[in-house]
Amino acid sequence: MSVVLAFEPDPTKVDELGEIVRMHFGAELTFVTSAYAAITAINQRTPDLVLVGKSVSGDQRVKVTSHIASSGVRIPILDVPDLAAEQASGFGRFGLPGRKKKAKADDADRRVAFARQVGTILESADASKKAD
């Protein structure tokens, strides 16, 4: 079973990431909200993939990526896109209707592209484990 570590300070993202990681790929998801917790989780069990949320600050990101780099183990890191960007209203820039539908389509496309990236990385990790 693949192991994915999600570093995202916003706990409302758990369900979105869980749906992609657990339901689509059957991977184990560990969700952490701080760099310290991410580093601790990496030390306890090396993940096959680290997901980093948009709300992670630059210095927190550097701490985690530096730790991964110094570990000597190659762990892919993937930025999590906005999987469900919210629109303030259903109207576009000039007050014309229909903008909201386009935003939902873009969200779906972004979600599918992200899921494909996760799947590709996890498949590669599984193949490496079987080769060892």
Side-chain angles (χ1 to χ4, degrees):
M1 173 185 284
S2 296
V3 177
V4 176
L5 175 66
F7 175 24
E8 170 61 70
D10 182 359
T12 63
K13 304 293 184 190
V14 173
D15 291 337
E16 292 172 316
L17 293 174
E19 181 180 329
I20 291 171
V21 172
R22 289 185 190 120
M23 293 183 184
H24 289 287
F25 302 109
E28 179 183 324
L29 176 66
T30 301
F31 191 83
V32 296
T33 59
S34 71
Y36 177 79
I39 291 168
T40 300
I42 291 166
N43 289 342
Q44 290 176 351
R45 185 171 181 195
T46 304
D48 297 302
L49 171 63
V50 174
L51 302 175
V52 180
K54 285 188 143 316
S55 60
V56 173
S57 69
D59 65 324
Q60 295 280 307
R61 178 183 299 267
V62 168
K63 286 178 185 176
V64 173
T65 56
S66 295
H67 178 74
I68 291 170
S70 70
S71 73
V73 178
R74 186 185 179 285
I75 303 171
I77 301 169
L78 186 59
D79 291 327
V80 179
D82 287 330
L83 297 175
E86 296 178 17
Q87 292 273 326
S89 71
F91 298 96
R93 182 173 168 193
F94 299 106
L96 300 173
R99 182 82 168 153
K100 197 170 192 175
K101 287 183 184 176
K102 176 68 173 154
K104 286 185 180 183
D106 289 346
D107 290 347
D109 291 345
R110 192 177 312 110
R111 190 178 179 87
V112 167
F114 176 69
R116 282 187 184 140
Q117 286 179 304
V118 169
T120 300
I121 292 168
L122 294 180
E123 285 173 8
S124 177
D126 285 343
S128 293
K129 287 178 187 176
K130 290 176 183 173
D132 290 340

